[in-house]
Structures are given as structure tokens and as C-alpha cells.
């Protein structure tokens, strides 16, 4: 957290470079604001600074209706739909589509599966299924390069439901079967 003096100087200047880095809470009104709030500046003795909006709310302050602190830079609302897509990608990396469906993932995010597909198309350029397929093939390639496990074991460790799907996805991306890639690697060694 920045010092009181730095925060106070930034607040008095309404310096946009500090917007979202701290929040100004006014003791006399029990409201917290962004430092760029157009409201009249409070007296310095009535001000307390918090590093996050959550900290200000935990201290008993309510958000300003003019500057809308929930839209401050660095908060998820400021990032808009990118936050939803980033969260979906994290869940996919953690295996959300290994055991569940895209509909389950969308419900977990609080949106419809059609909206999730639109967001992925806009921000990722691919559907969630295409992303998970790419991640699985990349994982399988690393496992294939790393060891001598059976193709079936590699397929299941990479998240594929069957050896047939693993072979098809691998051949689609690399233009060859995983066993031919392994054989070529063995010839080089």
C-alpha cells in the first residue's frame, strides 16, 4: 500500500495514473471513491485510504454512486468480458472440460453456453472445445517427448477419453500419428 502522503497528493491532483491503485474513504459520509471522482474533495482529516474496494467495504464504507469504484482499473469489471474468458481458460487448464461439458463450464461462470462460445470467438479466436483439444494435444506431445509410456497411458494422462480420439487429434494437428513421431525420435537417438 502506498503511503498516506502519496495517496493524498494523488487524490488532491486527481491523478489518473493512480486510479484503481487505492480507494479514498470519507469518514463523515461512510462512502469510498476512486481518486478521479468528480465529487467535491473532502477534508484531508476525514479521509482514509484502502488498497482495494473490498478492504473499504470491510471497514464499513459503501461505494460511491458517481465514480462507481467497481469499474476502477485493475478490477475484474474493468476488464469486462476478458475476465470471464480468462477465468474459463483457467478452469479449462484445471480440467473443467475433462470431466464436464461446455454447458457445465458456462453454468459455473454464470452465463449461457452460447454466450461463452461468442466470448471465446471474440477473445481467443477458437471455441472452448478447440482450446481444450489443443491443450490436450500439447500435453500429449510433452508426455510423448518426455518418456516411454504406452500410447494409451499418454492419451489418458493428456485428458483424452480414448486412444482413438488421441490418435485422430494428434494426426489432425501434426499430420502424422503419435507412434510415427515417437519412431522418428527413436531413430534420431
Amino acid at each position: 500500500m502506498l503511503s498516506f502522503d502519496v495517496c493524498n497528493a494523488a487524490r488532491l491532483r486527481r491523478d489518473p495514473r493512480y486510479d484503481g491503485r487505492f480507494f479514498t474513504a470519507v469518514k463523515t459520509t461512510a462512502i469510498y471513491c476512486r481518486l478521479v471522482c468528480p465529487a467535491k474533495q473532502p477534508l484531508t482529516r476525514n479521509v482514509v485510504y484502502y488498497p482495494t474496494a473490498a478492504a473499504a467495504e470491510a471497514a464499513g464504507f459503501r461505494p460511491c454512486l458517481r465514480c462507481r469504484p467497481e469499474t476502477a482499473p485493475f478490477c475484474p469489471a474493468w476488464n469486462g468480458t476478458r475476465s470471464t474468458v480468462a477465468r474459463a481458460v483457467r478452469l479449462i487448464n484445471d480440467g473443467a472440460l475433462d470431466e464436464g461439458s461446455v454447458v457445465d463450464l458456462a453454468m459455473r461462470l454464470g452465463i449461457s453456453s452460447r454466450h461463452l462460445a461468442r466470448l471465446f470467438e471474440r477473445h481467443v479466436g477458437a471455441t472452448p472445445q478447440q482450446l481444450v483439444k489443443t491443450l490436450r494435444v500439447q500435453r500429449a506431445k510433452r508426455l510423448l517427448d518426455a518418456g516411454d509410456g504406452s500410447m494409451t497411458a499418454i492419451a489418458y494422462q493428456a485428458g483424452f477419453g480414448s486412444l482413438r480420439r488421441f490418435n485422430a487429434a494428434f494426426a489432425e494437428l501434426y499430420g502424422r500419428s503419435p507412434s510415427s513421431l515417437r519412431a522418428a525420435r527413436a531413430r534420431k537417438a
Side-chain angles (χ1 to χ4, degrees):
M1 175 68 187
L2 301 168
S3 71
F4 183 89
D5 293 332
V6 170
C7 291
N8 201 49
R11 175 185 64 90
L12 292 173
R13 287 189 316 267
R14 292 195 170 144
D15 190 343
R17 294 176 299 170
Y18 289 90
D19 191 19
R21 294 188 59 197
F22 66 88
F23 294 88
T24 304
V26 182
K27 295 183 231 176
T28 54
T29 62
I31 293 175
Y32 73 94
C33 298
R34 295 165 55 183
L35 79 141
V36 294
C37 186
K40 181 182 172 196
Q41 291 278 11
L43 296 173
T44 301
R45 69 174 180 257
N46 294 330
V47 171
V48 180
Y49 298 107
Y50 291 97
T52 63
E57 289 177 15
F61 294 94
R62 65 182 191 277
C64 174
L65 296 176
R66 288 184 78 183
C67 67
R68 298 184 47 218
E70 71 276 5
T71 63
F74 312 114
C75 76
W78 194 65
N79 290 327
T81 55
R82 285 181 295 176
S83 294
T84 304
V85 172
R87 185 168 169 233
V89 169
R90 278 194 307 276
L91 290 170
I92 289 170
N93 283 332
D94 292 342
L97 292 182
D98 290 343
E99 294 144 19
S101 67
V102 174
V103 174
D104 296 333
L105 176 63
M107 285 177 52
R108 198 166 164 186
L109 295 168
I111 59 176
S112 72
S113 59
R114 288 183 66 194
H115 187 57
L116 181 63
R118 282 191 299 270
L119 294 178
F120 261 77
E121 194 61 41
R122 182 184 322 150
H123 296 291
V124 179
T127 66
Q129 296 94 332
Q130 290 167 330
L131 176 68
V132 77
K133 184 170 93 173
T134 300
L135 293 173
R136 286 175 181 163
V137 170
Q138 290 171 350
R139 199 177 310 142
K141 176 75 168 69
R142 285 192 304 273
L143 289 168
L144 195 62
D145 290 341
D148 295 324
S150 70
M151 289 297 164
T152 306
I154 289 172
Y156 287 115
Q157 286 176 345
F160 287 95
S162 70
L163 182 60
R164 186 176 190 171
R165 286 190 186 194
F166 165 60
N167 286 330
F170 203 90
E172 182 183 327
L173 185 63
Y174 288 103
R176 57 195 335 189
S177 69
S179 55
S180 68
L181 192 69
R182 179 181 271 177
R185 188 179 54 126
R187 280 193 297 269
K188 286 182 184 179

